[in-house]
Amino acid sequence: MDIDTSRYQRQMSLPEIGERGQKKLFLSSALCIGAGGLGSPALLYLAAAGVGRIGIIDFDRVDESNLQRQVLFSTEDIGKQKAQSAAEKIKKLNPTIKVEYYDQELDIEKAKDLFPSYDVILDGTDNFETKFLINDAAVKFDKPWVYGAIQEFDGQVSVFNHKGGPCYRCLQNEKPKSRIKSCAENGVIGAVAGIIGVVQALQAIQIIIDYPEWELLAGKIWTLDTRTMQTRMLTLKKNLACQICSADKDSIILRYAHTACDTVVEVPVTTLTHRSNYTLIDVREEIEWQKGHIEGAILWPLSKLQAGDLPDIPKTRDIILLCQRGIRSKQAAHILKGHGLTNVFSLTGGYEAWENNQQNISGLRNE
């Protein structure tokens, strides 16, 4: 196997890496779950370092609000599938590597399909359900995974299930009963996502090269508060009674509660003009609403629904939910259905689809 020494000269000159370490990188594989704020910088540096095979899984599309922190994408990518667009970008950065992408949500079946064929897993997600699935699948298939989390000015990184070390459930056995706000609600500085994503990439590279004197974040949690630039290193011990990493791998049953409900019925934007007997609820945040909304809609953000604050609507009333692109509205529908509202629908394509439809109608009138 020939290594492009000119491309990797700066890192191969490090005695801890050299030609041996570079070959290990080229022969290795990494799966990045999520190509957003964390996944974007992580993927760039994994590709640049020469990780030979990189997988990307993400079900979402690029939105304008992503560009502040998801540095893989540009304005021209708005509306494109994140996984495919990310794959194209890092392939251009390093044509010598193999890049695979999956335009879908990580679920149980996809975890079973993908995890066995990758050496290390990187977590670029923002919800507990997926993190638990990543953890349990990583333990089941004996894969180390690099955890990352950000919010506002804070970030943290850890390595789980590495050489018999603790797993995520040793730290967080179940989803907190109090709701944790998302970055969309609390906000985040893009550079914080960049720092954490890059540290995740570095940990993955160090896992692959496996230099004996390196001290990975296995059994540790590295935290950063960028308001003060203070860092802390917390110790995490393996829980000998952990229901996952202390169990027999074959006995681990993967479970996953989808963040978006697949059984929600979707309706096209034409429904809004052909029907009148429904309540239209916009589940976006206030800042999105102010940029544009459908007249007659009720603003009731997803964050309020997740907090248990429900609109006072008769259970027999037809409800059409909309968000920016049709993803959060499915989550909102799932919540309302869980509270006994049965006639709940999601607007296909969300506000953007409605806006495009209005522009088309206006164009036809002008003709």
Side-chain angles (χ1 to χ4, degrees), residues 123-277:
D123 160 42
T125 67
D126 61 359
N127 65 84
F128 285 101
E129 290 84 357
T130 309
K131 289 182 188 296
F132 286 137
L133 176 60
I134 293 170
N135 179 77
D136 298 355
V139 175
K140 185 177 183 67
F141 298 109
D142 196 23
K143 304 294 179 178
W145 69 282
V146 187
Y147 156 86
I150 54 172
Q151 191 169 74
E152 296 183 347
F153 297 88
D154 302 321
Q156 54 185 243
V157 181
S158 186
V159 174
F160 294 115
N161 195 49
H162 183 252
K163 296 185 177 180
C167 78
Y168 181 62
R169 288 192 187 267
C170 294
L171 168 69
Q172 186 80 46
N173 185 42
E174 59 184 25
K175 184 177 179 179
K177 291 182 172 58
S178 60
R179 194 179 70 83
I180 306 297
K181 290 186 178 182
S182 67
C183 289
E185 300 165 62
N186 266 358
V188 67
I189 291 182
V192 176
I195 293 169
I196 300 303
V198 168
V199 173
Q200 286 184 274
L202 178 60
Q203 288 292 293
I205 291 167
Q206 291 178 316
I207 289 170
I208 292 166
I209 294 176
D210 196 27
Y211 187 74
E213 294 183 17
W214 283 341
E215 295 185 11
L216 294 168
L217 291 175
K220 305 170 188 175
I221 304 171
W222 177 77
T223 70
L224 170 66
D225 180 350
T226 62
R227 285 164 290 209
T228 61
M229 294 310 295
Q230 294 294 309
T231 63
R232 296 176 63 194
M233 190 72 76
L234 309 176
T235 300
L236 175 64
K237 294 184 178 180
K238 186 180 180 73
N239 181 3
L240 298 180
C242 176
Q243 59 180 306
I244 296 297
C245 66
S246 294
D248 179 71
K249 291 180 173 56
D250 293 334
S251 69
I252 296 174
I253 299 175
L254 301 182
R255 296 180 175 86
Y256 180 53
H258 290 261
T259 55
C261 180
D262 293 331
T263 60
V264 174
V265 176
E266 296 186 73
V267 295
V269 292
T270 53
T271 303
L272 303 185
T273 56
H274 295 159
R275 290 178 56 185
S276 58
N277 59 333

Side-chain angles (χ1 to χ4, degrees), residues 11-23:
Q11 65 190 39
M12 288 178 66
S13 65
L14 297 168
E16 296 90 342
I17 298 179
E19 185 175 353
R20 174 181 171 275
Q22 195 61 53
K23 285 183 178 179

Side-chain angles (χ1 to χ4, degrees), residues 76-97:
E76 64 183 11
D77 297 315
I78 293 174
K80 295 181 180 178
Q81 290 284 353
K82 284 185 182 178
Q84 180 177 357
S85 183
E88 292 170 352
K89 296 294 175 60
I90 65 171
K91 186 67 175 177
K92 287 181 180 178
L93 172 63
N94 191 346
T96 69
I97 65 174

Side-chain angles (χ1 to χ4, degrees), residues 2-40:
D2 295 326
I3 296 291
D4 184 354
T5 55
S6 60
R7 177 181 287 268
Y8 306 114
Q9 181 182 9
R10 294 298 185 273
Q11 65 190 39
M12 288 178 66
S13 65
L14 297 168
E16 296 90 342
I17 298 179
E19 185 175 353
R20 174 181 171 275
Q22 195 61 53
K23 285 183 178 179
K24 292 183 76 171
L25 287 171
F26 187 77
L27 295 173
S28 68
S29 58
L31 174 66
C32 190
I33 301 168
L38 298 177
S40 287

